[in-house]
């Protein structure tokens, strides 16, 4: 089976992890700060590292003090962590439909969904293609609300020449093995707003206050630390930061390799007229996390099954989040966001990774052939 995504680990990555295991610090040590500095160089904003992309989203919502009565506007085409971490704070999730070509949240629909209770717009950079950040930024600024970008797919992408991470009020990343680079499990929160980043950091480190000037209990010794708001332990250990520091040095190579896979797919699949290939806006330079194709819905299942049978471990990204029973049980209807439903019914994610060695010399020809046969059979 050709996996749909796979990490690329080389000898330098392994040596970096081994060295960290031999050091004094397995966690809370100097590699955490070093990794966060390396991240800042790439994303154009100060960062904190956390234990997953889900943790990063949870911290982002904690940073904006999300709570019951607040509404967050989100797209259905995403991994449900985008919504789950907001729902856990008691916020109301507002599903807003996508643009049919990019799969990203549609700014016009976002503008129409704003109410006095809206606290944040959450964009997801589907497949690595940045959302319409300028339009969303303008809506957020007009209403004095936050723009959060779930960039689990898009570290390394740029929007109008600016890196993903430098535009939204808070941007979150994931370093799961299929992502653009990996720490095994891991994630990060980026923000150019120091207050928001400090709140996210505090939430990720048990809510502990260590700054003398902020203490409410003032008669204690040097050991003292105290909690003003609850937090959790979402720290990323030094061992995984060591892997991150080594991997992030390879980010541009990974980006070029993913671009090459993308271009090869476009070249061979352009010849099959029934297929819809991913769109790229001229002003973005995506780091492609997925290669999502769309086939007519009536035979998506057959095409999917044939690809799997022929050894391509394809996936579908994603079941619209409002269709999950946890939301359906609360009265949400996927039919309220018909573009998302249509997108889901047609979508198949082909293998996408930065490991040219996994793809045989005939890989693109074989997948073209498999798709052509599957489509012909059904036409
Ligand atoms: C869009 C999106 N958001 C959030 C996450 C959560 O990231 P993690 O798996 O690192 O918790 C993912 C991961 O699959 C994702 O694809």
């Amino acid at each position: 089976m050709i996996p749909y995504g796979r990490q690329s680990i080389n000898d330098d990555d392994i040596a970096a992890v081994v060295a960290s295991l031999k050091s004094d610090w397995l966690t809370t040590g100097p590699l955490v700060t070093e990794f966060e500095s390396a991240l800042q160089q790439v994303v154009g904003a100060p960062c904190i590292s956390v234990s997953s992309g889900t943790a990063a989203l949870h911290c982002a919502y904690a940073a904006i003090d999300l709570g019951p009565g607040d509404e967050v506007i989100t797209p259905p085409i995403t991994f449900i962590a985008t919504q789950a971490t907001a729902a856990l704070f008691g916020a109301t999730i507002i599903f807003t439909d996508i643009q049919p070509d990019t799969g990203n949240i549609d700014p016009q629909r976002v503008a129409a969904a704003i109410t006095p209770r809206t606290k944040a717009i959450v964009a997801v950079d589907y497949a690595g293609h940045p959302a319409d950040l300028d339009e969303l930024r303008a809506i957020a600024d007009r209403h004095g609300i936050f723009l959060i970008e779930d960039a689990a797919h898009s570290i390394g992408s740029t929007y109008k020449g600016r890196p993903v991470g430098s535009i939204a009020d808070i941007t979150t990343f994931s370093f799961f093995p299929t992502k653009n680079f990996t720490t095994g499990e891991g994630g990060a929160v980026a923000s150019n707003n120091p207050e928001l980043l400090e709140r996210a950091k505090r939430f990720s480190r048990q809510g502990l206050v260590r700054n003398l000037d902020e203490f409410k209990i003032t008669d204690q010794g040097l050991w003292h630390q105290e909690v003003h708001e609850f937090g959790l332990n979402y720290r990323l250990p030094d061992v995984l930061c060591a892997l991150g520091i080594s991997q992030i040095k390879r980010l541009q190579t990974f980006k070029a390799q993913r671009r090459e896979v993308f271009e090869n797919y476009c070249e061979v699949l352009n010849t099959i007229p029934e297929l819809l290939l991913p769109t790229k806006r001229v002003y973005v330079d995506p780091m492609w996390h997925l290669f999502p194709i769309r086939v007519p819905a009536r035979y998506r299942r057959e095409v999917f099954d044939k690809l799997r049978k022929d050894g391509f471990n394809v996936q579908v990204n994603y079941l619209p989040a409002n269709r999950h029973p946890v939301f359906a049980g609360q009265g949400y209807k996927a039919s309220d966001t018909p573009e998302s439903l249509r997108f889901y019914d047609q979508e198949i994610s082909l293998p996408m990774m930065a490991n040219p060695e996994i793809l045989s010399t005939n890989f693109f020809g074989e997948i073209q052939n498999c798709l052509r046969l599957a489509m012909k059979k059904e036409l």
Side-chain angles (χ1 to χ4, degrees), residues 4 51-57 77-82 124-126 150-153 172-176 178-179 185-187 289 317-318:
Y4 98 98
S51 53
S52 69
T54 306
L57 284 159
I77 296 296
T78 181
F79 184 59
I80 196 168
T82 313
V124 176
D125 299 334
Y126 179 76
D150 179 346
H153 297 187
T172 63
F173 300 103
S174 163
F175 310 133
F176 187 73
T178 54
K179 297 299 195 312
E185 297 281 0
H289 165 57
N317 300 94
Y318 294 93

Side-chain angles (χ1 to χ4, degrees), residues 60-73 86 89 91-92 94 113-122 137 139-141 143-148 169-170 196 199:
Y61 295 134
I64 64 165
D65 198 20
L66 193 67
D70 295 333
E71 293 177 356
V72 288
I73 295 179
F89 281 118
T92 302
I94 306 297
I114 303 278
T115 77
R117 289 179 301 282
T118 310
K119 186 127 188 195
I121 302 166
V122 186
R137 175 84 270 171
I139 299 167
D141 290 348
H143 293 277
I145 59 177
F146 295 104
L147 175 61
I148 295 178
D169 293 301
I170 307 181
L196 288 177
R199 283 185 57 81

Side-chain angles (χ1 to χ4, degrees), residues 224-245:
H224 182 65
Q225 45 188 347
E226 60 185 41
V227 169
H228 301 171
E229 286 179 89
F230 293 125
L232 295 164
N233 175 0
Y234 280 151
R235 291 187 300 258
L236 190 67
D238 284 55
V239 182
L240 298 185
C241 288
L243 180 55
I245 293 163

